[in-house]
Amino acid sequence: MTTTQRRGARLGDEAMVDALIIGRRIRAIRKQRGLTLESLAQAIERAPSQISALENGHREPKLSQLRRIAEVLAVPLDDLIGGDEPPDERASHEIELERIQRSVGFSSLGLPAVRVGPRLGDDALATIVGLYRKIEQLRDDRQATPEEARRVNAELRTTMRASDNYFESIDDEAEGLLETLGYAGGPLPQRLTAALAEHLGVTLHYVDDLPQSTRSVLDERNGRIYLPQSVIGSGDSRAAVLQALSSKVLGHTVPADYAEFLRQRVESNYFAGAMLMPRTRSVERLRAAKANKDLAIDDFRDAYAVSYETAAHRFTNLATEFLDLPVHFVKVHESGTIWKAYENDSVCFPTDSLGAIEGQTCCRHWTSRIVFAETDHFSPFAQYTDTPTGTFWCAARVLASSQGRVSVSVGTDFTHARWFRGGNTTSRAVSTCPDENCCRIPPAHLREKWEDQCWPATRPHASLLAALPQGVFPGVDTTDVYEFLERHAPPEPSPTADERNRP
């Protein structure tokens, strides 16, 4: 079978032949030959409308018909069906516009279709195609794929490391608000959290039908913040309110892309921590503990009645700037997956090709993994770990989460461990990761027994495959949010008599 015959046998295969490209080639060659639609149609005994539909890609070409056209145009059949390149730039733009207007994305815009014909100028054609490309680019920017999320997360961590995870302007803002509210020290009273909302001109509303994709909703139109009823009386109710109020305090605007969305989320969490654990008093407390060589996240947590994770995060904000301590933080799921991480002490976290740490597997010999085997979860577990980049001390706790147990760890390099409670621990381990022989390959005695004798069924995580829902705020179903606001918005005031009588 010849090349032409093989191509002809597969003319129905869209992967092999593109009706739009074939049609534009026929048109280009016809015009080169000086033939009109009518003359070509007459030569192959077809109506001009059929040739027009063929040239515009609206009709699937038949092999017998293409052979007749090739004979009339005096070209080999391969010149019509060979390759996948349009005959010229004009044809390329015409084909792209035809495909655009047949797409679901174009239909969703609700715009009328443009007739792709000779009266449409080259400049206008190129502009229309270029505008749609830009629309698609903006859509892609706002649709955070797992790869994009990991890349942006890695870039944000680099920025945080450069500032030692300390955002002075946010701490300044928090200290100013606390002074205005009359904060006197210790755990932030819930009444002051409510007073902050009043100070910002919003009211708090607790509901049982908050959209599942949100943790709060700010209604700017009516000056309301909606929160789930589940936070009432919970240990993090103040944090939930503070995070919800942060966008007004920090002047956040609609994020232009996923990077800005993620930065705003980090800033919101930072603001909540700065309000719950104010900088001036926190630094005084931490400096005193360091002087006594008794730094402990547990004490920091208890002093301000916050969660262990909140205290650990806040410690990393202040440790380097005010205590001259390089630190690292890591949150690990019991499966071994790293959920969150930060470091400026040169600890070597595993990364993917994009530089992202989140989603990677934590070494089995690190404190973050070994702590799960400890039976005493009332006290933190501390350990020294020898790694390829040095020896690091770390203290970890196991906490509960909606997706299973997690460990939260805070540590530093060997030389600074003496300032921490637990720095005298005798627990020690060795990690040679990323060397796969460290913990990624099962021990020899287990491999010999089970290597060919089991077939585990993987539990895939859909989030690793699916992009976040499209919208201004990645991961948020905007329609759900708007419908929610419609249900809860206060009734519009009735028009006055004067308003009703106005022309």
Side-chain angles (χ1 to χ4, degrees):
M1 182 180 291
T2 66
T3 301
T4 299
Q5 288 173 326
R6 284 195 297 272
R7 288 184 179 141
R10 293 178 288 189
L11 279 175
D13 187 348
E14 292 181 359
M16 296 303 298
V17 175
D18 191 312
L20 283 167
I21 293 178
I22 292 176
R24 287 328 191 267
R25 284 183 184 148
I26 292 173
R27 174 183 294 171
I29 298 173
R30 173 178 63 76
K31 289 184 175 182
Q32 289 174 3
R33 299 290 189 268
L35 296 175
T36 63
L37 272 174
E38 291 75 12
S39 59
L40 177 58
Q42 184 178 9
I44 66 169
E45 300 178 345
R46 290 290 185 272
S49 59
Q50 291 179 313
I51 301 301
S52 177
L54 190 65
E55 291 186 350
N56 289 322
H58 296 157
R59 173 170 294 185
E60 187 74 24
K62 295 181 180 179
L63 181 58
S64 58
Q65 192 176 57
L66 289 175
R67 286 198 178 106
R68 293 284 305 278
I69 293 174
E71 290 174 3
V72 173
L73 298 178
V75 296
L77 181 58
D78 270 1
D79 284 5
L80 300 184
I81 64 175
D84 56 4
E85 292 296 324
D88 52 46
E89 185 177 10
R90 164 81 189 195
S92 178
H93 284 153
E94 287 183 350
I95 290 169
E96 187 171 356
L97 183 54
E98 289 277 10
R99 287 173 175 161
I100 286 170
Q101 297 187 139
R102 297 178 190 182
S103 69
V104 175
F106 182 82
S107 299
S108 68
L109 296 175
L111 298 174
V114 175
R115 184 176 182 276
V116 184
R119 293 185 179 180
L120 183 61
D122 290 352
D123 290 344
L125 177 61
T127 298
I128 293 171
V129 169
L131 286 172
Y132 191 78
R133 287 175 184 167
K134 188 63 177 178
I135 291 173
E136 287 294 285
Q137 179 185 336
L138 292 173
R139 278 179 169 169
D140 289 343
D141 288 344
R142 286 184 172 176
Q143 177 171 307
T145 63
E147 292 76 13
E148 173 68 5
R150 290 197 295 271
R151 182 187 65 78
V152 168
N153 212 31
E155 292 175 352
L156 179 60
R157 188 180 303 101
T158 300
T159 302
M160 294 165 65
R161 187 186 298 113
S163 66
D164 291 324
N165 207 22
Y166 172 60
F167 302 153
E168 184 177 15
S169 61
I170 298 180
D171 266 304
D172 289 345
E173 190 72 46
E175 296 248 301
L177 286 171
L178 289 167
E179 183 177 355
T180 299
L181 297 173
Y183 171 74
L188 181 69
Q190 290 200 8
R191 63 177 177 80
L192 290 189
T193 309
L196 175 61
E198 184 178 357
H199 174 73
L200 296 173
V202 297
T203 55
L204 303 177
H205 300 263
Y206 297 90
V207 296
D208 59 5
D209 62 339
L210 198 72
Q212 290 187 354
S213 58
T214 66
R215 58 183 181 181
S216 66
V217 174
L218 170 61
D219 177 0
E220 291 272 21
R221 178 190 296 272
N222 299 297
R224 294 180 163 197
I225 285 182
Y226 296 98
L227 295 136
Q229 287 184 347
S230 59
V231 306
I232 300 176
S234 67
D236 62 351
S237 58
R238 295 168 303 160
V241 174
L242 292 168
Q243 288 166 350
L245 293 170
S246 64
S247 61
K248 289 188 70 66
V249 174
L250 302 177
H252 287 164
T253 57
V254 174
D257 52 30
Y258 186 72
E260 187 174 358
F261 163 79
L262 189 59
R263 177 185 59 79
Q264 289 180 358
R265 182 162 183 171
V266 168
E267 291 178 350
S268 294
N269 291 335
Y270 191 105
F271 171 74
M275 291 290 292
L276 292 168
M277 312 178 79
R279 174 181 56 196
T280 301
R281 288 178 171 83
S282 293
V283 170
E284 291 174 355
R285 181 179 298 276
L286 292 172
R287 281 176 172 166
K290 182 186 178 187
N292 293 325
K293 297 184 178 181
D294 197 31
L295 284 169
I297 302 301
D298 294 74
D299 290 356
F300 198 30
R301 170 202 62 190
D302 296 342
Y304 293 99
V306 297
S307 70
Y308 187 87
E309 184 175 353
T310 297
H313 271 298
R314 186 61 174 150
F315 180 78
T316 66
N317 299 153
L318 305 173
T320 306
E321 180 71 18
F322 297 100
L323 305 178
D324 296 322
L325 293 176
V327 291
H328 65 264
F329 165 95
V330 63
K331 182 178 182 179
V332 177
H333 185 256
E334 59 185 331
S335 65
T337 303
I338 297 176
W339 280 8
K340 296 180 183 178
Y342 164 79
E343 58 80 22
N344 67 356
D345 60 357
S346 300
V347 70
C348 187
F349 286 128
T351 63
D352 63 10
S353 58
L354 299 173
I357 297 171
E358 286 76 9
Q360 299 302 297
T361 301
C362 181
C363 176
R364 290 176 176 272
H365 304 305
W366 282 17
T367 314
S368 306
R369 294 289 298 277
I370 292 179
V371 67
F372 287 110
E374 293 295 306
T375 55
D376 178 11
H377 289 167
F378 188 77
S379 305
F381 170 72
Q383 172 184 285
Y384 285 98
T385 308
D386 299 321
T387 77
T389 58
T391 298
F392 296 88
W393 173 90
C394 195
R397 267 196 176 278
V398 173
L399 309 174
S401 81
S402 60
Q403 299 180 55
R405 297 183 304 162
V406 296
S407 70
V408 171
S409 310
V410 173
T412 187
D413 61 74
F414 178 90
T415 59
H416 292 92
R418 67 185 185 276
W419 305 112
F420 290 83
R421 184 184 305 165
N424 60 349
T425 180
T426 57
S427 298
R428 201 169 190 119
V430 176
S431 168
T432 59
C433 280
D435 179 4
E436 63 180 13
N437 291 311
C438 176
C439 63
R440 298 181 187 274
I441 297 178
H445 71 282
L446 292 178
R447 290 204 311 273
E448 292 174 3
K449 183 175 182 179
W450 295 107
E451 190 167 30
D452 299 320
Q453 303 299 320
C454 69
W455 189 272
T458 305
R459 178 185 294 172
H461 298 284
S463 60
L464 298 179
L465 304 176
L468 296 175
Q470 284 187 348
V472 172
F473 299 94
V476 172
D477 189 318
T478 309
T479 301
D480 278 355
V481 173
Y482 292 167
E483 290 176 348
F484 166 83
L485 290 172
E486 278 292 302
R487 291 196 302 272
H488 289 275
E492 298 285 343
S494 300
T496 64
D498 289 341
E499 290 173 333
R500 286 195 299 269
N501 294 330
R502 283 176 190 164

